[in-house]
PDB file of all heavy atoms in Angstrom:
ATOM      1  N   LEU D1367      97.633 122.328  97.086  1.00  0.00           N
ATOM      2  CA  LEU D1367      97.885 122.193  98.514  1.00  0.00           C
ATOM      3  C   LEU D1367      96.571 122.165  99.284  1.00  0.00           C
ATOM      4  O   LEU D1367      95.715 123.016  99.114  1.00  0.00           O
ATOM      5  CB  LEU D1367      98.747 123.361  99.002  1.00  0.00           C
ATOM      6  CG  LEU D1367      99.170 123.342 100.468  1.00  0.00           C
ATOM      7  CD1 LEU D1367     100.080 122.153 100.728  1.00  0.00           C
ATOM      8  CD2 LEU D1367      99.867 124.640 100.837  1.00  0.00           C
ATOM      9  N   GLY D1368      96.416 121.142 100.118  1.00  0.00           N
ATOM     10  CA  GLY D1368      95.239 121.052 100.968  1.00  0.00           C
ATOM     11  C   GLY D1368      93.987 120.561 100.268  1.00  0.00           C
ATOM     12  O   GLY D1368      92.891 120.660 100.818  1.00  0.00           O
ATOM     13  N   LEU D1494      87.711 117.560 106.394  1.00  0.00           N
ATOM     14  CA  LEU D1494      87.693 117.112 107.785  1.00  0.00           C
ATOM     15  C   LEU D1494      87.419 118.292 108.702  1.00  0.00           C
ATOM     16  O   LEU D1494      87.820 119.412 108.405  1.00  0.00           O
ATOM     17  CB  LEU D1494      89.036 116.480 108.140  1.00  0.00           C
ATOM     18  CG  LEU D1494      89.305 115.128 107.487  1.00  0.00           C
ATOM     19  CD1 LEU D1494      90.766 114.751 107.693  1.00  0.00           C
ATOM     20  CD2 LEU D1494      88.406 114.061 108.063  1.00  0.00           C
ATOM     21  N   LEU D1499      92.546 116.027 113.904  1.00  0.00           N
ATOM     22  CA  LEU D1499      93.677 115.427 114.604  1.00  0.00           C
ATOM     23  C   LEU D1499      94.181 116.432 115.622  1.00  0.00           C
ATOM     24  O   LEU D1499      94.282 117.620 115.338  1.00  0.00           O
ATOM     25  CB  LEU D1499      94.804 115.080 113.621  1.00  0.00           C
ATOM     26  CG  LEU D1499      94.522 114.008 112.579  1.00  0.00           C
ATOM     27  CD1 LEU D1499      95.786 113.726 111.761  1.00  0.00           C
ATOM     28  CD2 LEU D1499      94.017 112.726 113.213  1.00  0.00           C
ATOM     29  N   GLU D1503      98.801 114.451 117.931  1.00  0.00           N
ATOM     30  CA  GLU D1503      98.720 113.440 116.863  1.00  0.00           C
ATOM     31  C   GLU D1503      99.424 113.923 115.607  1.00  0.00           C
ATOM     32  O   GLU D1503     100.128 113.156 114.938  1.00  0.00           O
ATOM     33  CB  GLU D1503      97.252 113.108 116.580  1.00  0.00           C
ATOM     34  CG  GLU D1503      96.595 112.315 117.691  1.00  0.00           C
ATOM     35  CD  GLU D1503      95.088 112.234 117.571  1.00  0.00           C
ATOM     36  OE1 GLU D1503      94.495 113.092 116.868  1.00  0.00           O
ATOM     37  OE2 GLU D1503      94.498 111.345 118.188  1.00  0.00           O
ATOM     38  N   LEU D1504      99.257 115.213 115.300  1.00  0.00           N
ATOM     39  CA  LEU D1504      99.934 115.754 114.128  1.00  0.00           C
ATOM     40  C   LEU D1504     101.444 115.776 114.323  1.00  0.00           C
ATOM     41  O   LEU D1504     102.212 115.463 113.401  1.00  0.00           O
ATOM     42  CB  LEU D1504      99.423 117.171 113.829  1.00  0.00           C
ATOM     43  CG  LEU D1504      98.122 117.265 113.036  1.00  0.00           C
ATOM     44  CD1 LEU D1504      97.672 118.717 112.930  1.00  0.00           C
ATOM     45  CD2 LEU D1504      98.288 116.670 111.653  1.00  0.00           C
ATOM     46  N   LEU D1507     102.857 112.344 113.799  1.00  0.00           N
ATOM     47  CA  LEU D1507     103.006 112.019 112.380  1.00  0.00           C
ATOM     48  C   LEU D1507     104.160 112.792 111.756  1.00  0.00           C
ATOM     49  O   LEU D1507     104.888 112.266 110.903  1.00  0.00           O
ATOM     50  CB  LEU D1507     101.705 112.335 111.625  1.00  0.00           C
ATOM     51  CG  LEU D1507     100.491 111.488 111.981  1.00  0.00           C
ATOM     52  CD1 LEU D1507      99.267 111.958 111.195  1.00  0.00           C
ATOM     53  CD2 LEU D1507     100.744 110.013 111.706  1.00  0.00           C
ATOM     54  N   GLN D1508     104.329 114.049 112.173  1.00  0.00           N
ATOM     55  CA  GLN D1508     105.408 114.863 111.611  1.00  0.00           C
ATOM     56  C   GLN D1508     106.776 114.283 111.968  1.00  0.00           C
ATOM     57  O   GLN D1508     107.683 114.237 111.127  1.00  0.00           O
ATOM     58  CB  GLN D1508     105.302 116.295 112.113  1.00  0.00           C
ATOM     59  CG  GLN D1508     106.284 117.252 111.453  1.00  0.00           C
ATOM     60  CD  GLN D1508     106.191 118.649 112.035  1.00  0.00           C
ATOM     61  OE1 GLN D1508     106.050 118.814 113.243  1.00  0.00           O
ATOM     62  NE2 GLN D1508     106.289 119.665 111.183  1.00  0.00           N
ATOM     63  N   SER D1511     107.372 111.402 109.761  1.00  0.00           N
ATOM     64  CA  SER D1511     107.625 111.781 108.362  1.00  0.00           C
ATOM     65  C   SER D1511     109.050 112.264 108.145  1.00  0.00           C
ATOM     66  O   SER D1511     109.598 112.153 107.047  1.00  0.00           O
ATOM     67  CB  SER D1511     106.642 112.866 107.926  1.00  0.00           C
ATOM     68  OG  SER D1511     106.913 114.100 108.581  1.00  0.00           O
ATOM     69  N   ILE D1536      94.466 107.934 115.367  1.00  0.00           N
ATOM     70  CA  ILE D1536      94.721 108.505 114.038  1.00  0.00           C
ATOM     71  C   ILE D1536      94.076 107.650 112.951  1.00  0.00           C
ATOM     72  O   ILE D1536      93.428 108.166 112.025  1.00  0.00           O
ATOM     73  CB  ILE D1536      96.235 108.644 113.800  1.00  0.00           C
ATOM     74  CG1 ILE D1536      96.812 109.721 114.714  1.00  0.00           C
ATOM     75  CG2 ILE D1536      96.531 108.974 112.335  1.00  0.00           C
ATOM     76  CD1 ILE D1536      98.328 109.750 114.754  1.00  0.00           C
ATOM     77  N   LEU D1540      91.038 109.102 110.433  1.00  0.00           N
ATOM     78  CA  LEU D1540      91.288 109.279 108.998  1.00  0.00           C
ATOM     79  C   LEU D1540      90.847 108.079 108.167  1.00  0.00           C
ATOM     80  O   LEU D1540      90.977 108.096 106.946  1.00  0.00           O
ATOM     81  CB  LEU D1540      92.776 109.553 108.757  1.00  0.00           C
ATOM     82  CG  LEU D1540      93.339 110.809 109.419  1.00  0.00           C
ATOM     83  CD1 LEU D1540      94.796 111.022 108.989  1.00  0.00           C
ATOM     84  CD2 LEU D1540      92.513 112.028 109.071  1.00  0.00           C
ATOM     85  N   VAL D1545      99.678 104.196 109.944  1.00  0.00           N
ATOM     86  CA  VAL D1545     100.027 105.589 110.214  1.00  0.00           C
ATOM     87  C   VAL D1545     100.769 106.200 109.024  1.00  0.00           C
ATOM     88  O   VAL D1545     100.777 107.420 108.856  1.00  0.00           O
ATOM     89  CB  VAL D1545     100.893 105.717 111.477  1.00  0.00           C
ATOM     90  CG1 VAL D1545     100.082 105.420 112.718  1.00  0.00           C
ATOM     91  CG2 VAL D1545     102.124 104.831 111.398  1.00  0.00           C
ATOM     92  N   TYR D1546     101.362 105.373 108.182  1.00  0.00           N
ATOM     93  CA  TYR D1546     102.069 105.899 107.011  1.00  0.00           C
ATOM     94  C   TYR D1546     101.082 106.465 105.989  1.00  0.00           C
ATOM     95  O   TYR D1546     101.366 107.453 105.313  1.00  0.00           O
ATOM     96  CB  TYR D1546     102.945 104.814 106.391  1.00  0.00           C
ATOM     97  CG  TYR D1546     103.944 104.248 107.375  1.00  0.00           C
ATOM     98  CD1 TYR D1546     103.859 102.938 107.825  1.00  0.00           C
ATOM     99  CD2 TYR D1546     104.954 105.066 107.901  1.00  0.00           C
ATOM    100  CE1 TYR D1546     104.754 102.442 108.756  1.00  0.00           C
ATOM    101  CE2 TYR D1546     105.858 104.577 108.827  1.00  0.00           C
ATOM    102  CZ  TYR D1546     105.753 103.263 109.255  1.00  0.00           C
ATOM    103  OH  TYR D1546     106.641 102.781 110.186  1.00  0.00           O
ATOM    104  N   GLN D1547      99.920 105.849 105.879  1.00  0.00           N
ATOM    105  CA  GLN D1547      98.867 106.418 105.033  1.00  0.00           C
ATOM    106  C   GLN D1547      98.387 107.747 105.625  1.00  0.00           C
ATOM    107  O   GLN D1547      98.081 108.688 104.889  1.00  0.00           O
ATOM    108  CB  GLN D1547      97.697 105.436 104.929  1.00  0.00           C
ATOM    109  CG  GLN D1547      98.025 104.173 104.151  1.00  0.00           C
ATOM    110  CD  GLN D1547      96.912 103.138 104.215  1.00  0.00           C
ATOM    111  OE1 GLN D1547      96.259 102.993 105.236  1.00  0.00           O
ATOM    112  NE2 GLN D1547      96.707 102.432 103.123  1.00  0.00           N
ATOM    113  N   ALA D1548      98.339 107.802 106.943  1.00  0.00           N
ATOM    114  CA  ALA D1548      97.940 109.046 107.608  1.00  0.00           C
ATOM    115  C   ALA D1548      98.960 110.151 107.344  1.00  0.00           C
ATOM    116  O   ALA D1548      98.591 111.314 107.146  1.00  0.00           O
ATOM    117  CB  ALA D1548      97.793 108.812 109.111  1.00  0.00           C
ATOM    118  N   ILE D1549     100.249 109.808 107.337  1.00  0.00           N
ATOM    119  CA  ILE D1549     101.296 110.790 107.034  1.00  0.00           C
ATOM    120  C   ILE D1549     101.087 111.361 105.635  1.00  0.00           C
ATOM    121  O   ILE D1549     101.197 112.577 105.413  1.00  0.00           O
ATOM    122  CB  ILE D1549     102.689 110.148 107.153  1.00  0.00           C
ATOM    123  CG1 ILE D1549     103.015 109.837 108.613  1.00  0.00           C
ATOM    124  CG2 ILE D1549     103.759 111.069 106.556  1.00  0.00           C
ATOM    125  CD1 ILE D1549     104.286 109.034 108.802  1.00  0.00           C
ATOM    126  N   ALA D1550     100.787 110.486 104.673  1.00  0.00           N
ATOM    127  CA  ALA D1550     100.572 110.942 103.290  1.00  0.00           C
ATOM    128  C   ALA D1550      99.408 111.915 103.209  1.00  0.00           C
ATOM    129  O   ALA D1550      99.475 112.937 102.509  1.00  0.00           O
ATOM    130  CB  ALA D1550     100.338 109.737 102.383  1.00  0.00           C
ATOM    131  N   ILE D1551      98.329 111.635 103.915  1.00  0.00           N
ATOM    132  CA  ILE D1551      97.162 112.519 103.910  1.00  0.00           C
ATOM    133  C   ILE D1551      97.504 113.862 104.552  1.00  0.00           C
ATOM    134  O   ILE D1551      97.208 114.930 104.000  1.00  0.00           O
ATOM    135  CB  ILE D1551      95.983 111.854 104.650  1.00  0.00           C
ATOM    136  CG1 ILE D1551      95.467 110.655 103.849  1.00  0.00           C
ATOM    137  CG2 ILE D1551      94.861 112.865 104.889  1.00  0.00           C
ATOM    138  CD1 ILE D1551      94.400 109.859 104.575  1.00  0.00           C
ATOM    139  N   ALA D1552      98.134 113.811 105.708  1.00  0.00           N
ATOM    140  CA  ALA D1552      98.465 115.052 106.418  1.00  0.00           C
ATOM    141  C   ALA D1552      99.416 115.925 105.612  1.00  0.00           C
ATOM    142  O   ALA D1552      99.260 117.154 105.552  1.00  0.00           O
ATOM    143  CB  ALA D1552      99.076 114.718 107.781  1.00  0.00           C
ATOM    144  N   ALA D1553     100.399 115.301 104.953  1.00  0.00           N
ATOM    145  CA  ALA D1553     101.362 116.075 104.166  1.00  0.00           C
ATOM    146  C   ALA D1553     100.703 116.679 102.935  1.00  0.00           C
ATOM    147  O   ALA D1553     100.930 117.848 102.599  1.00  0.00           O
ATOM    148  CB  ALA D1553     102.537 115.180 103.759  1.00  0.00           C
ATOM    149  N   SER D1554      99.871 115.901 102.233  1.00  0.00           N
ATOM    150  CA  SER D1554      99.244 116.392 101.000  1.00  0.00           C
ATOM    151  C   SER D1554      98.264 117.526 101.266  1.00  0.00           C
ATOM    152  O   SER D1554      98.055 118.379 100.415  1.00  0.00           O
ATOM    153  CB  SER D1554      98.528 115.248 100.283  1.00  0.00           C
ATOM    154  OG  SER D1554      97.411 114.792 101.044  1.00  0.00           O
ATOM    155  N   ARG D1555      97.665 117.543 102.436  1.00  0.00           N
ATOM    156  CA  ARG D1555      96.684 118.587 102.759  1.00  0.00           C
ATOM    157  C   ARG D1555      97.296 119.764 103.525  1.00  0.00           C
ATOM    158  O   ARG D1555      96.591 120.684 103.919  1.00  0.00           O
ATOM    159  CB  ARG D1555      95.525 117.984 103.564  1.00  0.00           C
ATOM    160  CG  ARG D1555      94.786 116.912 102.766  1.00  0.00           C
ATOM    161  CD  ARG D1555      93.563 116.399 103.475  1.00  0.00           C
ATOM    162  NE  ARG D1555      92.929 115.331 102.704  1.00  0.00           N
ATOM    163  CZ  ARG D1555      91.834 114.672 103.078  1.00  0.00           C
ATOM    164  NH1 ARG D1555      91.240 114.998 104.217  1.00  0.00           N
ATOM    165  NH2 ARG D1555      91.335 113.711 102.337  1.00  0.00           N
ATOM    166  N   GLY D1556      98.618 119.717 103.738  1.00  0.00           N
ATOM    167  CA  GLY D1556      99.299 120.852 104.332  1.00  0.00           C
ATOM    168  C   GLY D1556      99.067 121.029 105.815  1.00  0.00           C
ATOM    169  O   GLY D1556      99.277 122.119 106.355  1.00  0.00           O
ATOM    170  N   TRP D1557      98.669 119.957 106.517  1.00  0.00           N
ATOM    171  CA  TRP D1557      98.366 120.096 107.941  1.00  0.00           C
ATOM    172  C   TRP D1557      99.620 120.371 108.759  1.00  0.00           C
ATOM    173  O   TRP D1557      99.543 121.053 109.782  1.00  0.00           O
ATOM    174  CB  TRP D1557      97.677 118.830 108.453  1.00  0.00           C
ATOM    175  CG  TRP D1557      96.304 118.652 107.894  1.00  0.00           C
ATOM    176  CD1 TRP D1557      95.563 119.578 107.223  1.00  0.00           C
ATOM    177  CD2 TRP D1557      95.499 117.475 107.962  1.00  0.00           C
ATOM    178  NE1 TRP D1557      94.345 119.060 106.859  1.00  0.00           N
ATOM    179  CE2 TRP D1557      94.277 117.761 107.298  1.00  0.00           C
ATOM    180  CE3 TRP D1557      95.678 116.216 108.504  1.00  0.00           C
ATOM    181  CZ2 TRP D1557      93.263 116.830 107.185  1.00  0.00           C
ATOM    182  CZ3 TRP D1557      94.662 115.284 108.388  1.00  0.00           C
ATOM    183  CH2 TRP D1557      93.471 115.582 107.739  1.00  0.00           C
ATOM    184  N   PHE D1558     100.759 119.850 108.332  1.00  0.00           N
ATOM    185  CA  PHE D1558     101.987 120.089 109.086  1.00  0.00           C
ATOM    186  C   PHE D1558     102.376 121.568 109.068  1.00  0.00           C
ATOM    187  O   PHE D1558     103.007 122.064 110.001  1.00  0.00           O
ATOM    188  CB  PHE D1558     103.146 119.259 108.529  1.00  0.00           C
ATOM    189  CG  PHE D1558     102.965 117.766 108.689  1.00  0.00           C
ATOM    190  CD1 PHE D1558     103.441 116.893 107.730  1.00  0.00           C
ATOM    191  CD2 PHE D1558     102.309 117.251 109.789  1.00  0.00           C
ATOM    192  CE1 PHE D1558     103.277 115.520 107.877  1.00  0.00           C
ATOM    193  CE2 PHE D1558     102.128 115.879 109.947  1.00  0.00           C
ATOM    194  CZ  PHE D1558     102.621 115.008 108.988  1.00  0.00           C
ATOM    195  N   ASN D1559     101.973 122.274 107.993  1.00  0.00           N
ATOM    196  CA  ASN D1559     102.344 123.688 107.865  1.00  0.00           C
ATOM    197  C   ASN D1559     101.621 124.578 108.864  1.00  0.00           C
ATOM    198  O   ASN D1559     102.041 125.709 109.114  1.00  0.00           O
ATOM    199  CB  ASN D1559     102.041 124.184 106.443  1.00  0.00           C
ATOM    200  CG  ASN D1559     102.797 123.404 105.390  1.00  0.00           C
ATOM    201  OD1 ASN D1559     103.875 122.898 105.662  1.00  0.00           O
ATOM    202  ND2 ASN D1559     102.233 123.296 104.199  1.00  0.00           N
TER     203      ASN D1559
END
Side-chain angles (χ1 to χ4, degrees):
L1367 183 65
L1494 289 169
L1499 295 184
E1503 289 168 340
L1504 277 175
L1507 294 178
Q1508 187 183 41
S1511 70
I1536 291 169
L1540 299 185
V1545 290
Y1546 303 113
Q1547 292 173 324
I1549 290 172
I1551 291 174
S1554 67
R1555 298 186 183 179
W1557 291 347
F1558 295 146
N1559 300 331

